[in-house]
Amino acid sequence: LLLCLDAIRRGAGLKEGAAHGLLLPLCTGMSMATVLCSLRTKTNKERTVVLWSRIDQKSCFKAISSAGFECVVIQTKMEGDEVVTD
């Protein structure tokens, strides 16, 4: 855990490290559900919509739904060789 906290500190360019952290071996979908459930307890309960632009990741879409949020898919388009949103 301390190694992860140090990597976050170095990657973010912080002078002091994070005091606390939580390291869980979870898949992407379960991590998203955990974060969204945590945000729900710390923010306004009326916020129930998540804007999502990567519909190709079904696990994240399912995680948003299982966390009790409504998923609004933002359509993407190709500009040159990159995918962008409006």
Side-chain angles (χ1 to χ4, degrees), residues 43-61:
T43 61
N44 187 347
K45 307 263 190 276
E46 296 175 3
R47 295 180 181 175
T48 60
V49 176
V50 175
L51 303 177
W52 191 251
S53 65
R54 298 247 349 242
I55 195 61
D56 61 322
Q57 291 184 340
K58 297 292 184 193
S59 64
C60 293
F61 185 76

Side-chain angles (χ1 to χ4, degrees), residues 21-35:
L22 179 63
L23 176 63
L24 299 172
L26 298 175
C27 62
T28 304
M30 191 56 133
S31 298
M32 287 287 296
T34 302
V35 168

